[in-house]
Amino acid sequence: MTLLVHVATEQVRIPVGRARVARAVESVLRAERTRDANLSITFVTDRRIARLNREHLAHHGPTDVISFGFAPAAGAPQTGDIYIAPDVARRNAIAHGCGVREELLRLVIHGTLHVLGHDHPVDDARYASTMWRRQEQLLQRVLRDT
């Protein structure tokens, strides 16, 4: 079993240590029974994520998380890139009445689940989706364990 997780920041500060982010991803991968994975998590500015959002999803403005999962070849590890905007996460945390660290870890888990192939509706129905329930279950585990 090989789980490789790389965490980087691009011109942003995050209130969660990189090692904690990596442990959260590894926890999700183990919980989802992923044996081999190579994931990259990059924390970026609002401007960078807005550009990624426009170029890859044809959406306008910054979003909180964007994930790119790459279908593995037979025997190859699950591979993906996750981009998270901490400033958007801060605004979301305030709007939802939770802590910034919790919201950042929620986005890490959310992005990881997307890379693994999970999906949800794009409207408010996402909060009742199977993916969202799994995300929140995993978040509670990560908050307790890391």
Side-chain angles (χ1 to χ4, degrees), residues 18-111:
R18 290 180 191 188
R20 187 171 188 197
V21 170
R23 284 193 309 272
V25 172
E26 291 166 358
S27 176
V28 171
L29 294 171
R30 282 191 303 275
E32 293 298 301
R33 293 182 169 82
T34 302
R35 299 187 49 78
D36 295 303
N38 185 353
L39 270 65
S40 167
I41 295 82
T42 306
F43 294 90
V44 298
T45 64
D46 281 12
R47 185 177 183 160
R48 172 91 191 277
I49 207 154
R51 189 172 69 243
L52 289 167
N53 203 16
R54 183 182 68 251
E55 291 173 0
H56 296 281
L57 302 174
H59 297 153
H60 179 72
T63 189
D64 49 8
V65 59
I66 295 177
S67 303
F68 301 98
F70 307 103
Q78 178 67 52
T79 303
D81 295 330
I82 301 166
Y83 297 89
I84 298 172
D87 288 341
V88 176
R90 280 184 192 88
R91 293 190 295 272
N92 289 348
I94 291 167
H96 299 343
C98 70
V100 177
R101 288 179 188 93
E102 177 182 324
E103 184 65 11
L104 284 171
L105 290 170
R106 177 177 285 111
L107 295 174
V108 166
I109 293 165
H110 188 90

